[in-house]
Amino acid sequence: MTADRETPVTPVLDVRDLSVRFRMRGGRDIAAVTDARFSVAPGECLALVGESGCGKSVLASALLGLLPANAETTGSAVLGGDTDLLTAGERTLARTVRGRRIGLVPQSPAAHLTPVRTVRAQLEETLRELTGVRGAAAVRDAAGEAAARASFPADHLDRYPHELSGGLAQRAATALALIGDAPLLLADEPTTGLDRDLVERTVDELRRHTDEGRALLIITHDLAAAERIADRVAVMYAGRIVEIAGSRPFFGAPGPRHPYAKGLLDALPERDFAPIPGMPPELGALPDGCAFAARCTRADARCTDERPAFEDALACHHGLTGRAHSLTKAAADA
Ligand SMILES: Nc1ncnc2c1ncn2[C@@H]1O[C@H](COP(=O)(O)OP(=O)(O)O)[C@@H](O)[C@H]1O
Ligand code: SF4
Ligand SMILES: [Mg+2]
C-alpha cells in the first residue's frame, strides 16, 4: 500500500462540488450529499468512510446515474477526463459507462447474482454483452479466465448462487464486475456480512485489481478494511466530506485532523472502544454551522454559527493536528 502517490494529470474520476437533494413532498428536502470534492487516480484506491446514513450510497448512485426521480444533482463528476456522469444521460450511462467504464462490485452479491442461473452462465452472458468474444468454446474459456481473475474456483462455476459461501458469492460478483475491464471499480460496502478473514481476503483481492492499474472507489463503514486497502481516505459526515488524507498519516501518525474522524478511529475496538456520543443530525434539518458541533468536544460559538469550508482537505475550524497533511496532488488541487 502506498500512502501518497503522485497523481497523473487526468484522474479516472474527478468529482467537483457534487450535491444531491431529495425533493420531498410536503416536507423538507433532504441534503443527502453536499459539495463533495475528490478525485481518484489510476492505480489508486480511495476509501469513502462514514457512519450509516451519511450519504455514501447516494453519492455512489449519483455517479452511476441510479438516483430516483425525486433526486436533484449539482456539480460535476468527470470520468476519464471526458464524460460528466451527472449530465451524461441514461442512454450513455447504460451503454458505455455501467459495466464498461465503471465496474460495480455490489454490496450484496447474493442479491446481485441471478438466483436461477449458474455462475458460469452469468459470466458467459456478461462476456457476450460487454466484450467481443463469440463462439461457445471461446466464451467458455473466457468465463474460466474471468473467474480466475477474481480467484473464483473453476470447480464451482456450475453452481448456483445459493450453493456458494458468502466469500465465493463475493468473488463471483467481483468476477462479473471485472469483465468489462473498466478503469474504475466502484465497491459499495463490498464486505458487508463477511467475517473478518473474508473481509481481509476480499479487500486484498480488490487491492490486487487496483495494483493492476485500475482506480478503486471503495465505500465502507469498516475502517479496518479501509486501512488495509486504501491509499487515501475521505471521511463523510452528514452528507459532506470533512477530511481527505493519506491512509498512512490518517491511520498512523499524526492521525486524523477532523474531530469526527478521530472519533471514528477512537471508537474502534482495537483502539479506545469509545463511541462518539450522540447521533448525526437529520439530513432534512441540518444546522447552520458545523453539522458535528452538537457532538464535538472542541465546538465553540464559531462552530455553531459558521459552517467550516472544505479547505486544504479539511472542513473544521479547529483542526486537531494543526498542520497540513502530505496529500497527493489530486487532494491538494481539489
Ligand atoms: N430515495 C430517497 N429519498 C429520500 N431520502 C433518501 C433516499 N435515498 C436515500 N435517502 C436518504 O439519504 C441519506 C443517505 O443515505 P445513504 O447514502 O444510503 O447512506 P449510507 O450509504 O452512508 O449509509 C439517508 O438519510 C437516507 O434516508
Ligand atoms: S468545526 Fe468546530 S464543531 Fe465542527 S468539527 Fe471542527 S471543532 Fe468540531
Ligand atoms: Mg450505504
Side-chain angles (χ1 to χ4, degrees):
M1 189 161 67
T2 310
D4 294 305
R5 290 180 187 186
E6 279 304 309
T7 304
V9 177
T10 306
V12 176
L13 178 67
D14 193 15
V15 174
R16 302 260 157 177
D17 301 325
L18 167 59
S19 298
V20 181
R21 296 279 170 280
F22 290 108
R23 300 284 174 218
M24 307 305 283
R25 209 179 289 160
R28 284 187 217 226
D29 291 347
I30 292 174
V33 179
T34 303
D35 294 337
R37 223 187 301 157
F38 64 88
S39 63
V40 198
E44 182 186 46
C45 171
L46 178 71
L48 182 62
V49 303
E51 283 165 300
S52 182
C54 72
K56 304 183 298 295
S57 293
V58 169
L59 195 156
S61 299
L63 299 179
L64 294 165
L66 296 175
L67 288 169
N70 66 328
E72 276 178 19
T73 57
T74 53
S76 64
V78 176
L79 183 67
D82 59 21
T83 304
D84 184 354
L85 299 168
L86 304 187
T87 55
E90 175 54 24
R91 198 179 151 90
T92 303
L93 293 170
R95 288 193 174 188
T96 69
V97 172
R98 292 194 293 263
R100 290 181 164 85
R101 297 183 66 187
I102 303 180
L104 186 62
V105 182
Q107 176 162 20
S108 167
H112 183 73
L113 298 167
T114 309
V116 295
R117 306 192 61 208
T118 64
V119 174
R120 184 192 303 284
Q122 294 182 55
L123 288 171
E124 291 188 356
E125 183 188 9
T126 306
L127 278 159
R128 285 198 191 88
E129 195 185 315
L130 296 185
T131 71
V133 64
R134 293 288 176 268
V139 172
R140 195 179 166 84
D141 287 351
E145 284 163 22
R149 278 212 286 176
S151 307
F152 185 89
D155 60 357
H156 284 51
L157 273 169
D158 293 309
R159 296 200 178 184
Y160 291 89
H162 73 269
E163 297 175 311
L164 301 175
S165 66
L168 286 189
Q170 183 57 260
R171 286 186 200 182
T174 304
L176 285 167
L178 291 173
I179 280 178
D181 209 16
L184 174 66
L185 289 179
L186 177 54
D188 188 354
E189 305 282 3
T191 59
T192 301
L194 304 183
D195 64 32
R196 189 45 51 191
D197 185 44
L198 272 176
V199 167
E200 293 185 354
R201 273 165 38 198
T202 302
V203 298
D204 288 353
E205 273 167 30
L206 287 171
R207 180 71 230 180
R208 188 163 55 78
H209 302 307
T210 312
D211 290 337
E212 287 166 2
R214 295 178 186 86
L216 171 63
L217 175 57
I218 182 171
I219 293 175
T220 182
H221 65 270
D222 182 342
L223 288 164
E227 179 174 10
R228 196 172 174 93
I229 194 172
D231 298 298
R232 285 187 298 140
V233 188
V235 182
M236 208 166 166
Y237 185 75
R240 288 177 183 267
I241 292 178
V242 294
E243 177 171 2
I244 299 181
S247 261
R248 213 172 281 170
F250 184 84
F251 289 107
R257 291 190 290 163
H258 197 282
Y260 171 67
K262 182 169 188 318
L264 275 185
L265 284 190
D266 288 347
L268 291 173
E270 61 273 25
R271 299 200 183 200
D272 293 355
F273 213 178
I276 306 169
M279 297 286 288
E282 292 286 329
L283 296 178
L286 288 169
D288 292 335
C290 174
F292 189 58
R295 304 171 78 185
C296 183
T297 52
R298 297 167 77 89
D300 61 11
R302 184 179 176 207
C303 300
T304 45
D305 291 347
E306 184 192 327
R307 181 174 300 133
F310 184 67
E311 281 168 0
D312 184 27
L314 178 73
C316 177
H317 293 310
H318 312 293
L320 284 167
T321 58
R323 58 88 191 84
H325 264 304
S326 53
L327 294 163
T328 66
K329 187 171 178 304
D333 289 348

